[in-house]
Amino acid sequence: MEYDVVLVGSGFGSLTAAALLVKKGLKVCVLEQAKYPGGCSSSFKRKGYYFETGATTLVGLDHHMPLRYLLDETGTDIPSRRLEPSMQVHLPNGRTVTRYGDLDKWIKEAENAFGEKNQRPFWEHCYQISKQVWRTSLQQRSFPFSNTEDLLFSAVRVRTGQLKLIPGAFRTMEDVLRKYDLLHNKLFTQFVNEQLLITAQNYLHEVNELFGATALCYTLFGNYYIDGGLINLVNPVVEYIRRGGSEVKFGHHVQRIKAATIGYEIATNKAVFRSRFVISGIPLNNTLEIFEDGGLKNKLQKYVLPSEKLNGAFTMGLVLQKMPPPKVLHHQVHVPEGLPVIGSKSIFLSYSHPEDRSRAGAGEIVASVSTHVPHPEESLIQEKSVIEAAIIEVLDSKGLINKESIIYNQSATPGAWIFWTKRAFGAVGGYPQYRDLKPWQMKDARLDHNGAYVCGDTVYPGQGIPGVCLSGIIAAEKLAQDHL
């Protein structure tokens, strides 16, 4: 079976790259080991209910953001509901703060919760950086650089505002809080740390200012809900690929990729495929294992993070009945004493929209619950019931659920993620940000500088749906830049 491009995995990075390459007239084939597309940005059906596989929040539809770029380029329409407010955070002192989408309204909320001192200049500073980061990310699609042509393209696209971002790569969010004399505000630093963990996958002393400001301000951009779950974000992109004469194949677990006389040979559990180009949309840890090229393996090794630097997740899917319709769909709950067994200090809860009858029946709500599990390879969770009970107790005490309202409960550990997704260690959420790893040192889209590329949540920028989408845009751009 011959194609111009074979893509490994159908995560949103792969689907983005595939769709953009189909638009350029290439014949592509996306190989997915599971029975449905989307990877960690999708939904699955169980017991008649639709649960999210991983991500539950959707941003990136605003102007100058990656998802908007993809939809505009492909003419794809995604029916969605805009959420306002997007989230509430339940603090350790018992107070609840609402993450309003309006900057001024949010600043007033933050001042009431954390004290007036320097909240306004801090948030205005972060918001300006986040806007410029998103603009720059789409303008500089040759970044990170890995050849002279990248540098030339970037030089042509450079703008004054982009240069002003450079110092932020050398500062951590800890430095920023220190600058605004907020580092000694314990309640605020706890809030910042747990908010950073959602999108940057790390804490303020490790996350640089560029990623940190963008992570903290994602609620200040459009937040959306898609009826039926994120599978209905994914399916229109799959349909676009197929309408363009290309393919998405399920049940194909890629086991080996080797260079051929021309292009690559990709072997799955079912068949062998040949293509001129290949894009890996699976984590770098897994990508390392499937390429036979020893030289590439050695080069890739320096970018791969071990389990102790990654996060897994403990997730729960609940079906609730006889509950008042939630006014806010997304909640982060601080657990300062830490959850038993795994020790994580916050829980993320997302409800289905009360008007969305495609995920649950009348009078029912689907709730997705997740919490971080550090060093997932070592976290062999055998007593799930202990963690489940603790989470339910916390959510019940905050009035977010009623224990008696639960009619269905399922949970999953990093081990389940390994089984269902094949992701190394069961790691989720992408690579965490670390202060010793500057943006230009992260893995760029080229794997072998011949015809192999990579995208997804473990390469730059690779955080959340907008970041993963951007990684697919960059992979498609560099392939076209190099060969078309």
Side-chain angles (χ1 to χ4, degrees):
M1 285 170 274
E2 303 278 349
Y3 298 91
D4 295 316
V5 190
V6 164
L7 297 99
V8 182
S10 69
F12 206 74
S14 282
L15 293 179
T16 296
L20 294 174
L21 292 171
V22 165
K23 185 183 179 185
K24 293 180 183 295
L26 300 184
K27 185 179 181 181
V28 311
C29 179
V30 181
L31 300 174
E32 170 56 54
Q33 59 91 22
K35 297 178 181 179
Y36 52 86
C40 294
S41 304
S42 189
S43 315
F44 64 94
K45 189 176 184 180
R46 186 163 294 172
K47 302 293 184 180
Y49 301 98
Y50 279 92
F51 298 92
E52 303 291 32
T53 56
T56 58
T57 61
L58 179 63
V59 295
L61 288 170
D62 296 353
H63 191 49
H64 294 308
M65 296 189 80
L67 189 51
R68 172 50 51 205
Y69 174 87
L70 171 67
L71 299 182
D72 288 347
E73 285 290 304
T74 58
T76 303
D77 181 48
I78 305 292
S80 57
R81 301 175 188 264
R82 182 154 184 168
L83 304 179
E84 178 55 35
S86 57
M87 181 198 296
Q88 287 185 323
V89 181
H90 304 260
L91 300 172
N93 65 354
R95 180 160 188 162
T96 298
V97 293
T98 301
R99 295 295 320 252
Y100 294 106
D102 177 78
L103 177 62
D104 192 60
K105 197 171 181 180
W106 160 240
I107 290 173
K108 290 176 181 176
E109 179 81 351
E111 288 175 336
N112 287 332
F114 306 113
E116 291 188 10
K117 183 177 180 179
N118 289 339
Q119 288 292 321
R120 179 166 293 278
F122 172 81
W123 287 106
E124 288 177 343
H125 172 76
C126 288
Y127 184 54
Q128 290 305 314
I129 287 178
S130 65
K131 289 196 297 183
Q132 188 59 50
V133 164
W134 283 122
R135 289 194 193 98
T136 300
S137 295
L138 276 179
Q139 291 166 345
Q140 292 290 358
R141 297 191 295 275
S142 296
F143 186 82
F145 316 128
S146 59
N147 64 20
T148 305
E149 201 169 25
D150 282 348
L151 289 169
L152 293 174
F153 273 103
S154 292
V156 170
R157 296 166 178 165
V158 74
R159 303 290 184 272
T160 303
Q162 299 169 8
L163 299 176
K164 291 179 180 179
L165 291 175
I166 295 174
F170 296 92
R171 292 190 291 259
T172 66
M173 287 307 298
E174 185 175 56
D175 297 328
V176 179
L177 264 69
R178 185 179 292 111
K179 172 185 175 181
Y180 288 100
D181 198 19
L182 291 168
L183 202 54
H184 299 296
N185 186 333
K186 184 178 179 181
L187 186 64
F188 186 61
T189 57
Q190 288 176 318
F191 166 81
V192 169
N193 268 329
E194 296 306 319
Q195 287 278 281
L196 287 174
L197 195 58
I198 295 174
T199 48
Q201 300 293 313
N202 217 328
Y203 298 110
L204 58 87
H205 67 285
E206 290 285 3
V207 180
N208 73 50
E209 183 180 22
L210 302 183
F211 287 113
T214 306
L216 288 178
C217 290
Y218 83 97
T219 53
L220 296 172
F221 295 87
N223 279 244
Y224 295 86
Y225 177 89
I226 296 180
D227 283 13
L230 288 174
I231 188 68
N232 290 327
L233 166 69
V234 169
N235 279 337
V237 184
V238 171
E239 290 164 9
Y240 177 87
I241 293 167
R242 286 174 167 164
R243 284 199 309 272
S246 290
E247 298 178 71
V248 179
K249 293 179 176 289
F250 300 105
H252 281 268
H253 180 204
V254 174
Q255 300 170 329
R256 173 179 52 81
I257 298 175
K258 69 176 183 178
T261 305
I262 299 176
Y264 299 86
E265 183 180 279
I266 302 96
T268 77
N269 56 318
K270 293 182 177 180
V272 176
F273 300 81
R274 291 175 179 82
S275 64
R276 174 65 187 90
F277 310 109
V278 63
I279 298 176
S280 174
I282 60 178
L284 286 172
N285 303 69
N286 297 87
T287 299
L288 179 71
E289 297 302 320
I290 61 175
F291 274 88
E292 289 194 345
D293 183 340
L296 173 59
K297 283 178 177 286
N298 290 335
K299 291 178 182 177
L300 197 57
Q301 188 66 55
K302 71 177 183 178
Y303 296 103
V304 173
L305 293 183
S307 172
E308 58 264 31
K309 286 196 166 188
L310 300 174
N311 292 303
F314 184 90
T315 61
M316 295 175 65
L318 305 175
V319 180
L320 311 170
Q321 67 174 3
K322 298 178 181 178
M323 271 190 61
K327 294 180 180 179
V328 179
L329 297 192
H330 302 299
H331 297 261
Q332 186 185 41
V333 183
H334 285 236
V335 188
E337 68 278 12
L339 289 169
V341 183
I342 53 179
S344 55
K345 295 184 180 295
S346 65
I347 301 165
F348 197 79
L349 165 71
S350 295
Y351 298 110
S352 59
H353 197 284
E355 296 177 15
D356 180 7
R357 295 276 64 88
S358 56
R359 292 183 63 189
E364 298 175 332
I365 293 171
V366 172
S368 300
V369 182
S370 62
T371 189
H372 284 77
V373 178
H375 199 343
E377 186 179 32
E378 277 197 352
S379 303
L380 300 176
I381 299 170
Q382 296 176 335
E383 295 295 329
K384 292 197 302 182
S385 59
V386 174
I387 306 172
E388 287 179 357
I391 289 173
I392 289 171
E393 187 63 40
V394 169
L395 298 180
D396 183 84
S397 70
K398 298 293 182 182
L400 294 171
I401 68 169
N402 181 336
K403 286 188 246 185
E404 307 305 318
S405 70
I406 300 172
I407 60 172
Y408 179 73
N409 174 17
Q410 62 171 19
S411 62
T413 67
W417 278 90
I418 295 173
F419 180 79
W420 291 111
T421 71
K422 307 295 189 292
R423 291 173 68 97
F425 316 124
V428 296
Y431 276 4
Q433 303 299 324
Y434 286 97
R435 59 182 171 180
D436 59 349
L437 186 61
K438 307 305 180 194
W440 51 86
Q441 296 173 312
M442 301 175 82
K443 184 70 192 87
D444 89 301
R446 296 185 187 89
L447 280 175
D448 61 1
H449 289 261
N450 184 27
Y453 299 81
V454 64
C455 62
D457 67 2
T458 59
V459 299
Y460 175 82
Q463 295 294 322
I465 293 175
V468 172
C469 180
L470 180 57
S471 77
I473 293 169
I474 291 172
E477 177 101 356
K478 290 201 174 188
L479 189 155
Q481 175 183 309
D482 294 344
H483 301 286
L484 301 185

